Structure formats: structure tokens, C-alpha cells
Amino acid sequence: MTTDVLIQVTGLQKHFKGAQQSADGKIRALDGVSAQIHRGEVVVVIGPSGSGKSTFLRCLNLLELPTGGQILFDGADITDKNCNINLHRQKMGMVFQHFNLFPHMTILKNMTIAPMQLLHKSKEEAEKTAMELLSRVGLADRTNAYPSQLSGGQKQRVAIVRALAMQPEVMLFDEPTSALDPEMVGEVLEVMKELADSGMTMVVVTHEMGFAREVADRVLFMADGKLIEEGTPDEIFSHPKSPRLQDFLAKVL
């Protein structure tokens, strides 16, 4: 991990209108969150359901538009309305709970369409990269299969390497194992561990405390739209300071 800050989040806010409103009629999904992600760092975000974890992650590439605050990515203010967000999104790989593969395309086509269209790679070059990445996750023999012919764990592994095919600077994972059968979780976490070992910058929202403990450089604990505590896995899991984190860990560990 370097001291080079890749993503700087300052005072991030996201308000929704809805049932569980505060006095001013808004749900504060994010209520002034500030955080840094360093190049080559694996940051895992934990917290109870409804704490703002996924909203925080989705704000990092503006899939959710913040109500307030600032996000600097690679020195560029992506919350500036004049910023070309599509250009910056190409540098951010995103993996969701539900794979988001194109069902009518083969795995190989799923892998090559974005690099060819957005990075202007030749078909040969895109396919070569796709084959290397699929081999890396043990799926080189499934290139001509369709998503419906793959297990959940296989689909998620494809989703991860599809994001990698765009040569991103950071990978964002939004609860990548929560939609999987328990026996498939391990194979996806294994790919993510290898990715972390390779030096990829990663921000991971997850309920997998074992993964957070083993792989994270830093853990962020969120609750009620706020960043309550952050630290190394040892600090967070073995020496939690805030009563809110202590209470959370008592329920999930």
C-alpha cells in the first residue's frame, strides 16, 4: 500500500425522501462521510443493513448522485457537474450482488464488448485478454456458454474478470457474495483475495467478516449514515472503541 490517495471523500451526503424521515422530511442515507482510499489498498466497509454502506460505494462512481460533499478521484473532482464521469467510470470496475451479465451474449462476448467499444481494442486483443482473465478464474472452458448455463459463483467470477478487462484503477464490490448459495461464496472470495494480493485497489462492502479480517488493510464501520470507526482489522475486530461497533460485532461474530 502507498500513501498515494486515489479517492478522497469529504463530507459526503445523500438524502432521500421516504418513510423513515428525520425532522426535515429526509432520510439521511449518508450524513457527512469523509474517507480516503489509497492506491493499492483494500478497504472493507462493514455495518448493519441500512447503514449507508452500499450508498457510499455507489456514490464513488456516481451511480448515486450525492446530495452534498466532494469526491476526488485521481485528483479530479467527479462531483463537479462539468466532469466527464463516463471517462472516470472506465477506471472504476464495479461488481454488484446480481452479476449484471448480458443474458443473450456468450461469456466471451460479455467479456469483450466493453473493451472493444470503450477502449477501442481490436477483437483479437480483447479476446486474448478475456481468455487470460477467464483462465485466471478457472473458466477458460466456458467461453461459449451463456450466463444461464453457469452457477451463481461462476457468474460472479465472470463479473469480476469482466470488470478487470477494462483495466480499472480501482475495483468496487457491492456485497458480491450476498446473492450466492453458501457453498459458492468461497470460490468468489478466493478470486477477490488473489486480486488483493496482486495489488489492486479495492473497496468492498460485505457481510463476510472473515474476509474483512483476513484481506483488508483497513476496515470502515458505518451506521446510521455515518462513518463511526475505522482502523486495521485487528483494531476493529479485537479492540473496537465505539459502543455501536461493539454491539454490532457482538451480533455478527
Side-chain angles (χ1 to χ4, degrees), residues 113-163:
I113 185 167
M116 286 167 64
Q117 288 188 356
L118 299 173
L119 300 182
H120 309 295
K121 291 198 167 188
S122 68
K123 186 169 184 277
E124 293 72 25
E125 194 181 1
E127 287 186 351
K128 180 173 181 284
T129 302
M131 290 305 298
E132 287 168 359
L133 287 167
L134 287 167
S135 296
R136 190 169 155 186
V137 295
L139 292 172
D141 59 336
R142 306 313 305 270
T143 52
N144 294 318
Y146 287 85
S148 62
Q149 298 170 301
L150 270 55
S151 70
Q154 289 173 326
K155 286 180 203 170
Q156 196 59 296
R157 282 186 276 158
V158 171
I160 292 170
V161 290
R162 181 180 63 170

Side-chain angles (χ1 to χ4, degrees), residues 17 24 39 47 71 132 144 198 215 221 232 248:
K17 288 188 174 175
D24 61 0
R39 220 176 274 277
I71 302 168
E132 287 168 359
N144 294 318
S198 75
V215 181
F221 171 68
T232 64
F248 172 76

Side-chain angles (χ1 to χ4, degrees), residues 7-196:
I7 304 173
Q8 173 80 51
V9 180
T10 309
L12 194 62
Q13 296 182 32
K14 178 65 181 179
H15 301 163
F16 296 102
K17 288 188 174 175
Q20 300 167 301
Q21 295 172 353
S22 55
D24 61 0
K26 297 188 178 88
I27 298 171
R28 300 183 183 281
L30 294 174
D31 195 8
V33 174
S34 297
Q36 290 183 336
I37 314 294
H38 298 92
R39 220 176 274 277
E41 184 179 36
V42 179
V43 174
V44 175
V45 187
I46 64 170
S49 294
S51 60
K53 309 182 299 291
S54 288
T55 304
F56 170 72
L57 193 78
R58 292 168 69 85
C59 280
L60 294 183
N61 63 0
L62 300 198
L63 284 178
E64 290 282 3
L65 289 174
T67 308
Q70 184 186 55
I71 302 168
L72 298 179
F73 174 66
D74 234 352
D77 181 358
I78 64 171
T79 44
D80 183 334
K81 63 180 185 300
N82 297 317
C83 168
N84 181 352
I85 184 57
N86 290 325
L87 198 63
H88 290 286
R89 276 198 190 122
Q90 288 179 26
K91 303 176 193 173
M92 298 180 175
M94 182 97 186
V95 179
F96 302 89
Q97 296 176 32
H98 299 285
F99 333 120
N100 290 22
L101 300 175
F102 297 114
H104 61 291
M105 294 182 184
T106 64
I107 298 310
L108 187 61
K109 183 79 171 163
N110 263 285
M111 291 285 297
T112 57
I113 185 167
M116 286 167 64
Q117 288 188 356
L118 299 173
L119 300 182
H120 309 295
K121 291 198 167 188
S122 68
K123 186 169 184 277
E124 293 72 25
E125 194 181 1
E127 287 186 351
K128 180 173 181 284
T129 302
M131 290 305 298
E132 287 168 359
L133 287 167
L134 287 167
S135 296
R136 190 169 155 186
V137 295
L139 292 172
D141 59 336
R142 306 313 305 270
T143 52
N144 294 318
Y146 287 85
S148 62
Q149 298 170 301
L150 270 55
S151 70
Q154 289 173 326
K155 286 180 203 170
Q156 196 59 296
R157 282 186 276 158
V158 171
I160 292 170
V161 290
R162 181 180 63 170
L164 287 177
M166 289 296 290
Q167 302 167 319
E169 291 184 35
V170 60
M171 287 283 286
L172 309 175
F173 294 87
D174 188 6
E175 300 192 20
T177 59
S178 65
L180 298 177
D181 292 335
E183 67 268 25
M184 293 175 186
V185 169
E187 66 189 63
V188 172
L189 291 179
E190 201 52 51
V191 170
M192 292 170 65
K193 284 178 195 168
E194 287 172 17
L195 194 54

Side-chain angles (χ1 to χ4, degrees), residues 173-229:
F173 294 87
D174 188 6
E175 300 192 20
T177 59
S178 65
L180 298 177
D181 292 335
E183 67 268 25
M184 293 175 186
V185 169
E187 66 189 63
V188 172
L189 291 179
E190 201 52 51
V191 170
M192 292 170 65
K193 284 178 195 168
E194 287 172 17
L195 194 54
D197 289 341
S198 75
M200 173 60 75
T201 309
M202 296 166 63
V203 186
V204 184
V205 170
T206 186
H207 293 291
E208 301 289 338
M209 296 301 140
F211 176 84
R213 213 171 206 156
E214 186 182 341
V215 181
D217 294 304
R218 206 153 41 90
V219 178
L220 309 185
F221 171 68
M222 291 183 67
D224 308 314
K226 291 182 165 64
L227 177 56
I228 305 292
E229 197 168 330

